[in-house]
Amino acid sequence: MESSEIKLISGPPHAGKTSFLSQIAGSVDGAKLYINFEDSRMQRIGPEGLQAIEKTAAELCKRETEDRIARVFYFLDEIHNLPEWENWVDRLHTQGAGIFLTSSKLKLINEFSSRFEGRGKVLRLFPFSFKEYLRIKGTGIPEPGFLTPSRSDELLCMFLQYFESGGFPDVIKNGDIGFSRDYFEEGLQQGAVAGYDIQKLRELATFLISNMASEYSLDTLKKVSGIENEEIINNYLDYLEDIFLLYRIPKLNVFQEDDGIEETSCKVYIGDTGFFKAVYPGYPDSLGLRFENLVLLELLRREKQVFYFQNRKECDFIIKEKDSQKVSAAIQISVCFGSPAVREREILGLTEALEEYGLEKGLILTMDDEEIVKVESKSGKKIILVKPVWKWMLE
């Protein structure tokens, strides 16, 4: 963590970025300065104020040591709230300071990567994974291949609790899904401050949460939100994605329409599975869609590029490794894999994707089924691993 790279910790509000900053601060030696730019007073600071901060940092260095030069470390929380923050951070980096930034705005990743190419590193933070959930609960992380039946039952029960609560730290620690509802409202209120119609924003967000892991059409969103202009709807969607309330996942196999226009379909997923119960406590449960959403978040934690496949059949997730153009995996999601009709549908969709991208093995994630399926295809035999999702999340 003491390299010369500028670090940006990016993730949703309340996911633990500030706590992570504190952990980093405890692991480095030198003068340390923390500033929270969510404080409205800090957002109005001008050039003279920034110089005063640098002067304070220099004084801290003198206190740290008398016979050696201490390095200054700046921990700048929610840096996007500071106008023209890039110029100041650039100057601090030129001075040799260690710099750790956080931001709850997704779009800042591209801005940061462009400005500090070769000098910066992005660390993405998500609501807690199942492994992190187990650590909070004081449970050791077992090896998935060495589990007794009783231990497997215990872990499955804990997974179901995690599945219901989602991964926000305070929700897990307090056992109160109300925190997720508060986070949802907070995002809408910030949107209102930014100039969005809060009622339209709410209607759009609640509709998308109730229809997670599904394709949407702009015509449907027009009816739901009352917004007629497609550009404005896309601006609203961009905002909801920017605050990590949702993710849009594109279809990989793009076909030409009869009129020569490319199809640009995508599915929408929510930033944490706990939002569903928080926003729709009495809504009929879409168990399979929440299950798929959970897997999507885990894939993003693992820094995968994620797409979906749809031709004659459908495959839920097509994976490319980070910074790669080659498809590396195909994954199908099925809560219950037992019935013949479900098995046929899921295997056919996965096999078609394996054929499309020249893969020999596929994966079907279930609630608790586990087996190996061998399938004959046009290009030869395919191997399909059927695995409980909670075991996969422990790998």
Side-chain angles (χ1 to χ4, degrees):
M1 283 294 181
E2 294 195 33
S3 70
S4 62
E5 289 179 315
I6 306 166
K7 308 293 195 310
L8 170 64
I9 303 165
S10 174
H14 311 290
K17 297 187 297 299
T18 303
S19 297
F20 189 33
L21 275 187
S22 179
Q23 292 174 14
I24 295 171
S27 69
V28 298
D29 293 321
K32 306 165 190 178
L33 199 66
Y34 170 81
I35 303 173
N36 179 12
F37 284 100
E38 280 194 310
D39 187 326
S40 59
R41 294 170 297 177
M42 299 308 301
Q43 295 170 21
R44 296 191 296 269
I45 196 167
E48 292 182 359
L50 296 178
Q51 290 176 2
I53 290 172
E54 293 173 44
K55 183 178 179 180
T56 300
E59 292 172 354
L60 285 173
C61 277
K62 292 179 182 179
R63 295 178 193 173
E64 282 289 316
T65 177
E66 295 179 355
D67 57 357
R68 63 182 177 85
I69 298 175
R71 189 180 183 193
V72 182
F73 290 90
Y74 289 86
F75 299 89
L76 309 177
D77 218 351
E78 302 295 354
I79 189 65
H80 59 269
N81 289 308
L82 177 66
E84 300 183 2
W85 62 270
E86 303 97 322
N87 295 331
W88 185 48
V89 168
D90 214 346
R91 185 169 80 239
L92 296 179
H93 184 253
T94 302
Q95 295 169 1
I99 305 169
F100 296 87
L101 316 172
T102 77
S103 177
S104 298
K105 299 295 184 182
L106 182 62
K107 66 182 179 183
L108 201 79
I109 292 178
N110 289 335
E111 296 173 7
F112 174 85
S113 300
S114 176
R115 176 65 182 263
F116 300 105
E117 184 177 5
R119 298 181 293 154
K121 183 177 181 179
V122 176
L123 306 172
R124 294 194 63 179
L125 209 63
F126 293 85
F128 283 170
S129 67
F130 183 44
K131 280 185 179 180
E132 291 165 324
Y133 174 86
L134 292 177
R135 290 193 186 101
I136 285 184
K137 295 297 184 180
T139 301
I141 309 300
E143 289 291 335
F146 300 93
L147 294 172
T148 63
S150 61
R151 182 69 169 136
S152 293
D153 290 342
E154 177 188 357
L155 288 168
L156 177 58
C157 287
M158 296 191 75
F159 170 76
L160 292 173
Q161 294 168 9
Y162 166 72
F163 182 47
E164 292 298 318
S165 68
F168 282 113
D170 283 341
V171 174
I172 295 171
K173 291 174 183 177
N174 296 284
D176 184 0
I177 199 71
F179 282 96
S180 291
R181 176 72 194 186
D182 292 342
Y183 302 159
F184 173 75
E185 292 295 334
E186 177 184 294
L188 299 184
Q189 293 296 332
Q190 290 174 352
V193 172
Y196 295 93
D197 183 309
I198 191 169
Q199 187 58 34
K200 288 179 168 52
L201 194 63
R202 184 189 307 280
E203 289 169 348
L204 201 57
T206 52
F207 173 81
L208 293 169
I209 288 173
S210 68
N211 290 275
M212 71 182 91
S214 302
E215 290 182 332
Y216 64 85
S217 72
L218 288 177
D219 284 341
T220 300
L221 297 186
K222 286 179 182 179
K223 294 175 183 177
V224 167
S225 65
I227 302 171
E228 291 298 324
N229 187 294
E230 290 187 4
E231 183 179 354
I232 294 176
I233 286 183
N234 281 318
N235 289 340
Y236 275 62
L237 292 175
D238 289 343
Y239 172 75
L240 293 172
E241 192 166 29
D242 191 38
I243 62 171
F244 296 93
L245 192 61
L246 61 83
Y247 296 96
R248 285 175 284 184
I249 303 300
K251 183 159 65 173
L252 185 57
N253 53 320
V254 179
F255 300 105
Q256 296 291 331
E257 300 286 356
D258 293 338
D259 57 4
I261 299 174
E262 281 194 341
E263 182 184 358
T264 55
S265 300
C266 66
K267 285 186 178 182
V268 65
Y269 293 84
I270 58 176
D272 184 72
T273 54
F275 280 132
F276 182 84
K277 292 287 187 180
V279 175
Y280 275 112
Y283 195 82
D285 196 359
S286 301
L287 181 63
L289 299 181
R290 283 199 296 132
F291 196 71
E292 185 177 327
N293 204 117
L294 186 78
V295 173
L296 179 277
L297 294 175
E298 181 64 21
L299 290 168
L300 295 179
R301 280 190 200 96
R302 297 181 183 188
E303 298 187 292
K304 308 298 184 184
Q305 297 181 73
V306 187
F307 309 86
Y308 71 100
F309 171 83
Q310 191 176 61
N311 195 358
R312 291 180 297 275
K313 304 294 182 181
E314 182 174 334
C315 182
D316 295 318
F317 296 124
I318 301 298
I319 309 303
K320 294 181 181 180
E321 300 305 313
K322 185 179 180 181
D323 301 324
S324 173
Q325 293 302 312
K326 185 179 179 180
V327 172
S328 60
I331 302 174
Q332 199 76 297
I333 313 301
S334 180
V335 178
C336 300
F337 190 62
S339 76
V342 170
R343 289 177 67 90
E344 180 181 17
R345 182 186 70 230
E346 304 297 353
I347 289 173
L348 285 176
L350 181 55
T351 302
E352 187 176 7
L354 296 177
E355 287 277 324
E356 178 81 8
Y357 301 111
L359 302 172
E360 300 302 316
K361 292 183 179 180
L363 177 64
I364 296 179
L365 294 173
T366 72
M367 186 66 79
D368 206 31
D369 296 289
E370 192 165 11
E371 62 177 292
I372 298 175
V373 179
K374 297 180 180 179
V375 179
E376 292 292 340
S377 70
K378 295 177 182 178
S379 61
K381 187 174 290 184
K382 305 294 184 185
I383 304 297
I384 296 175
L385 302 178
V386 182
K387 184 179 294 187
V389 70
W390 57 270
K391 284 188 178 181
W392 173 75
M393 294 184 80
L394 292 176
E395 293 175 355

